[in-house]
Amino acid sequence: AGKSTAWRTNQGAFKKLSDREIGEWVPARPYLMNPKSITMDELYGTYNLATREWHDGILSYIMRSVCSMDTKEKKWIVFDGPVDT
C-alpha cells in the first residue's frame, strides 16, 4: 500500500533539504520494527508482579536509547510491517 515508500520518501526529502542547507532541515534516522513479528510483551515490556521488576521491551529500549542521543538529526521510530485487512 506504499507505507514503506512514504516514510523513505520523506526521509530522502529531509536529507536533500538538509544537504542544501534550506531552512533548518536536518536528516532523519529511522529505527524500524515490525510489530507483527514479536509478541506484545516483547514489544512493550513486562512487569513481574512477584518481583516488582520491569523488563523493557524492544520499543522501551529503543525509545530510551533514542531519547538519550544528543544529535540534531530527527529520530523516527517506525512500525513498518503488514497491516491486517
Side-chain angles (χ1 to χ4, degrees):
K3 299 174 299 298
S4 299
T5 302
W7 73 258
R8 285 186 184 123
T9 301
N10 282 331
Q11 181 190 21
F14 272 59
K15 175 148 179 35
K16 284 183 181 179
L17 290 167
S18 173
D19 290 346
R20 294 178 185 168
E21 297 180 357
I22 297 174
E24 296 182 18
W25 291 93
V26 294
R29 176 177 166 84
Y31 296 86
L32 303 174
M33 65 177 83
N34 178 353
K36 294 280 185 166
S37 66
I38 55 179
T39 66
M40 295 294 275
D41 287 348
E42 290 171 325
L43 179 61
Y44 294 111
T46 58
Y47 182 72
N48 185 322
L49 291 172
T51 63
R52 303 185 89 143
E53 292 178 320
W54 171 258
H55 296 281
D56 279 346
I58 294 169
L59 179 58
S60 305
Y61 175 80
I62 290 174
M63 186 63 139
R64 288 182 203 280
S65 298
V66 166
C67 289
S68 68
M69 293 177 185
D70 190 27
T71 63
K72 288 188 175 186
E73 70 183 358
K74 301 285 185 188
K75 293 112 181 146
W76 294 346
I77 299 175
V78 181
F79 290 82
D80 195 20
V83 177
D84 291 340
T85 56

